[in-house]
Amino acid sequence: MAHQGLGDFEQMVLLAILQLRGEVYGVPIVDEIERRTGRSVSRAAVYVALRRLEEKGLVSSWMSEPTAERGGKPRRCVRVEPRGLQLLRESRAALDRMWRGLDPRLEGVR
């Protein structure tokens, strides 16, 4: 089976979900990524990534109870599945292996 890696943005979305508590949905994920990275993130990009992650079985989603603030409409909430956690750990380990030994050599490099 081919290795199913995670892109940088997919990793950020998964990590944002894990950082948040309660019912996690698109808008707080956008806010968390922007707050932690300092970069602007479009809602559409997050929703596309969530759909892709769900198709891969890395997150699951469900509809919340309707909320008054949304005019009685529910939100699509998400959670990271065990396979998503496993791939995050594998991605981090791979990057750690790639960085090992480089810090001293990068000093003074422009």
Side-chain angles (χ1 to χ4, degrees):
M1 180 172 122
H3 182 278
Q4 183 184 28
L6 291 172
D8 288 345
F9 193 69
E10 289 176 323
Q11 288 181 54
M12 282 191 254
V13 169
L14 289 171
L15 291 167
I17 295 167
L18 293 170
Q19 291 288 345
L20 297 166
R21 302 284 185 256
E23 291 191 339
V24 179
Y25 57 99
V27 173
I29 294 170
V30 170
D31 294 343
E32 186 72 7
I33 293 170
E34 288 181 344
R35 185 178 71 77
R36 288 181 175 267
T37 66
R39 82 183 227 198
S40 180
V41 176
S42 77
R43 288 183 187 178
V46 168
Y47 290 119
V48 167
L50 287 171
R51 187 175 331 115
R52 189 171 52 243
L53 291 166
E54 189 164 23
E55 288 170 359
K56 292 179 179 181
L58 307 181
V59 301
S60 58
S61 68
W62 70 96
M63 297 307 289
S64 71
E65 292 296 318
T67 61
E69 68 187 37
R70 290 184 39 101
K73 295 192 300 190
R75 290 183 171 111
R76 179 166 297 280
C77 298
V78 294
R79 82 172 139 256
V80 178
E81 292 297 326
R83 180 70 179 136
L85 288 172
Q86 179 183 355
L87 283 179
L88 273 173
R89 287 185 184 109
E90 289 173 8
S91 293
R92 182 176 183 177
L95 283 173
D96 287 346
R97 287 190 301 272
M98 293 300 297
W99 272 100
R100 197 169 301 135
L102 278 181
D103 285 332
R105 286 193 269 165
L106 291 177
E107 290 178 18
V109 175
R110 292 182 186 229

